[in-house]
């Protein structure tokens, strides 16, 4: 069990805001910083401690701000630096911390560094990016970009290819170049000196490439090779992060969370073992991969509960063992809506959203709530391809139709299940025009058509709403240190319907029971707990009293957390 004092971010809950889609203050159809400032009291009322903003910097928005053309200015569509300063000040006044997205694996091709870099091999910025000579007249290797096509783009005037793991408008920075690292560190200081409270670091596991740029294997019906073998957790990534920590992070009391694609828990602990002084947390993808299939992310598979238990439990146990700290999430701006993917967004929307919240928030780690999750917002089920904006979705649509010859219906089914735009539709505030997000005639992405029944105003009017349940989950996390410190233990590992675990403290234990079944089921409380004094801390339905033999009847998607007195620590 960890020390009860802990770091502030270990006791915190993060609320993720996707700025384009949160609240539009100037009614141009795009959310903005002043819109976020208007809604800070909402985030405060929910009880979150930290706000993470997706990128807000100058950007051509090929990938919605993950293509940055100036790291030190605010994108005009979102507001001004004064608006940001005000947002930060108001947040701090309310006791909310603010972390920003640091996107430094790549820049936009419109960044002045890249414009200089591609002028010639002799440019002093050439080596800011990864340029390679053609090999026998072709690309240097078979890597495919995340958003379709090769990850190499030839520039005739230079006579070389540059690397872009994402869109071709997102050239990869060359971290081998110490000047690049110093530039990044300067950018970080710029924002930290303004008083921000930390960073979420985009694809940080990809910044060090293997120097021989080995071909990747071709999987999942793709035309190109996988870049992960040559780019994920590369040979110098930990040197770079140690340097970043020593030069920048160690001088500020901030929190960092690295997004680490292709990183299993053994690799992850190298980033977050606190004795190594690199990052505080990482976002892993192991639970996101449970429903991948022959077309990767865009498959129609559902996850299996036993796999979910296995993955989440492994991360709980290993992080604790290796002095690390988990980040806990169901969804973000790249993923489908949690309740649609892991719960049931029809008949059991409310109970399954609450159940999922319970399962995650009672685990050890820092929970991340993605905007709208706290009111049970769902995927979009009726959009046409012309309604989508996301370049990943548009690429998949093309590939499914043209390369794999799937029908329109099959293609749209996969997109409705997994498109990133499911998470990016405007926040649903009330039942007025555009769900109260904007008064514009057209919003940048269409509002989900279910906004009249699912919105904040309705949730606030109903004491049994997902909103108030999330508020309570956060409150009990703040009130009961055992949720931060208790030792995790999975129980009933082979139960195919119920995910249950204990959090074991010095003089009490939490018992968390979450049913994924769509019917009533019976559950047996473990023998060593059933005779002890207990009280329900939170539940999404009944009080779930167990009888003398420890049997309790669970409603569909039941969630219940008991605080049990007296069990000794193992
Ligand atoms: O995503 C990184 C990443 O690994 C993506 O491949 C992600 O898994 C994908 O969207 C899943 O379908 C980050 C950002 O979160 C994402 O929004 C950006 O598009 C990407 O980096 C490039 O910056």
């Amino acid at each position: 069990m960890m020390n009860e004092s802990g770091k502030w971010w270990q006791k915190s809950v993060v609320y993720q805001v996707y700025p384009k889609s949160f609240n539009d203050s100037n009614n141009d159809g795009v959310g903005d910083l002043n819109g976020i400032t208007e809604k800070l009291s909402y985030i405060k009322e929910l009880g979150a401690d930290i706000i993470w903003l997706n990128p807000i910097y100058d950007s051509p928005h090929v990938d919605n701000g993950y293509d940055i053309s100036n790291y030190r200015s605010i994108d005009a569509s979102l507001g001004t630096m004064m608006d940001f300063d005000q947002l930060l000040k108001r947040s701090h006044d309310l006791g909310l911390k603010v972390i920003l997205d640091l996107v430094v694996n790549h820049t936009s091709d419109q960044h002045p560094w890249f414009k200089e870099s591609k002028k010639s091999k002799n440019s002093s910025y050439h080596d800011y990016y990864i340029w390679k000579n053609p090999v026998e007249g072709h690309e240097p290797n078979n890597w495919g970009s995340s958003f379709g096509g090769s990850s190499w783009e030839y520039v005739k005037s230079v006579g070389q290819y540059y690397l872009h793991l994402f869109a071709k408008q997102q050239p990869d920075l060359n971290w081998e170049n110490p000047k690049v690292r110093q530039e990044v560190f300067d950018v970080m200081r710029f924002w930290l000196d303004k008083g921000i409270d930390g960073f979420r670091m985009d694809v940080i596991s990809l910044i060090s490439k293997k120097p021989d740029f080995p071909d990747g294997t071709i999987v999942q019906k793709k035309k190109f090779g996988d870049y992960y073998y040559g780019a994920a957790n590369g040979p110098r990534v930990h040197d770079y992060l140690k340097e970043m920590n020593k030069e920048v992070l160690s001088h500020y009391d901030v929190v960092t969370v690295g997004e680490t694609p292709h990183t299993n828990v053994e690799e992850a602990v190298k980033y977050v073992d606190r004795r190594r002084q690199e990052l505080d947390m990482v976002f892993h993808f192991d639970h996101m991969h449970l429903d991948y299939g022959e077309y990767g992310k865009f498959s129609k598979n559902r996850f299996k509960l036993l796999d979910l238990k296995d993955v989440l439990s492994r991360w709980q146990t290993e992080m604790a063992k290796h002095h690390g700290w988990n980040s806990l999430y169901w969804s973000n701006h790249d993923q489908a809506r949690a309740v649609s993917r892991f719960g049931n967004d029809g008949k059991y929307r409310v109970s399954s959203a609450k159940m999922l919240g319970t399962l995650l928030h009672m685990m050890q780690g820092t929970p991340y709530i993605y905007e709208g999750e706290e009111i049970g917002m769902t995927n979009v089920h009726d959009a046409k391809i012309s309604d989508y904006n996301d370049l990943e979705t548009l690429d998949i649509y093309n590939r499914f139709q043209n390369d794999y010859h799937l029908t329109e219906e099959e293609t749209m089914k996969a997109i409705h299940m997994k498109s990133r735009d499911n998470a990016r539709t405007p926040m649903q505030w009330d039942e007025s025009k555009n769900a109260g997000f904007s008064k514009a005639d057209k919003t940048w992405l269409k509002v989900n058509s279910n906004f009249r029944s699912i919105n904040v105003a309705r949730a606030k009017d109903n004491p049994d709403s997902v909103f108030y349940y999330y508020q309570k989950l956060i409150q009990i996390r703040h009130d009961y240190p055992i949720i931060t410190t208790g030792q995790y233990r999975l129980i009933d590992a082979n139960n195919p319907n119920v995910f249950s675990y204990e959090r074991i403290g010095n003089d009490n234990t939490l018992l968390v029971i979450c049913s994924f079944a769509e019917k009533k089921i019976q559950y047996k409380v473990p023998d060593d707990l059933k005779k002890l004094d207990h009280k329900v801390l939170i539940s999404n339905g009944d009080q779930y009293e167990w009888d003398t033999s420890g049997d309790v009847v669970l409603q569909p998607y039941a969630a219940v957390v008991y605080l049990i007195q007296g069990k000794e620590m193992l």
Side-chain angles (χ1 to χ4, degrees), residues 25-159:
S25 73
N26 63 355
N27 297 313
D28 62 354
V30 182
D32 46 45
L33 297 183
N34 288 339
I36 300 170
T37 304
E38 281 173 14
K39 297 290 185 183
L40 290 174
S41 53
Y42 169 75
I43 300 172
K44 184 70 191 171
E45 184 184 353
L46 179 64
D49 310 279
I50 303 174
I51 303 173
W52 152 30
L53 300 180
N54 287 99
I56 55 173
Y57 322 97
D58 246 355
S59 162
H61 275 254
V62 169
D63 186 19
N64 279 339
Y66 282 93
D67 47 324
I68 296 169
S69 50
N70 184 345
Y71 286 102
R72 291 180 172 80
S73 69
I74 304 291
D75 193 76
S77 68
L78 300 175
T80 64
M81 194 58 91
M82 263 169 64
D83 298 340
F84 177 76
D85 291 340
Q86 195 190 10
L87 187 162
L88 186 63
K89 180 167 187 316
R90 293 271 178 86
S91 303
H92 286 169
D93 288 348
L94 286 169
L96 292 165
K97 304 210 183 248
V98 177
I99 67 175
L100 294 184
D101 225 302
L102 183 72
V103 188
V104 288
N105 172 69
H106 45 267
T107 68
S108 159
D109 63 347
Q110 298 306 307
H111 194 290
W113 300 336
F114 188 71
K115 287 186 176 167
E116 286 300 318
S117 175
K118 70 185 268 200
K119 277 191 179 153
S120 99
K121 280 183 202 161
N122 302 323
S123 153
S124 52
Y125 284 90
H126 191 66
D127 209 24
Y128 269 45
Y129 293 85
I130 301 174
W131 293 92
K132 295 279 171 217
N133 291 328
V135 176
E136 293 166 10
H138 291 287
E139 288 80 3
N141 69 20
N142 72 355
W143 293 0
S145 124
S146 270
F147 301 139
S150 165
S151 63
W152 297 97
E153 182 75 8
Y154 188 66
V155 178
K156 214 164 154 203
S157 54
V158 181

Side-chain angles (χ1 to χ4, degrees), residues 18 52 54 63 66-67 101 103 106 146-147 166 170 200 202-203 206 227-228 259-261 285 292 297-298 332-335 390-392 418 420 424:
Y18 197 67
W52 152 30
N54 287 99
D63 186 19
Y66 282 93
D67 47 324
D101 225 302
V103 188
H106 45 267
S146 270
F147 301 139
F166 296 89
Q170 294 170 295
R200 175 266 188 188
D202 193 54
V203 291
L206 305 183
Y227 59 66
Y228 287 127
E259 188 208 24
T260 51
F285 288 76
Y292 277 35
K297 173 178 178 177
F298 287 83
N332 59 40
H333 64 292
D334 290 334
Q335 304 294 339
D390 168 34
L391 79 176
E392 181 186 56
K418 289 294 182 56
R420 308 198 291 184
R424 298 175 181 187

Side-chain angles (χ1 to χ4, degrees), residues 231-248:
N233 307 312
R236 298 190 61 195
V237 66
H238 296 291
D239 296 341
Y240 299 153
L241 292 177
K242 285 202 166 74
E243 184 181 336
M244 178 195 277
N245 191 299
K246 184 156 173 264
E247 291 215 13
V248 186

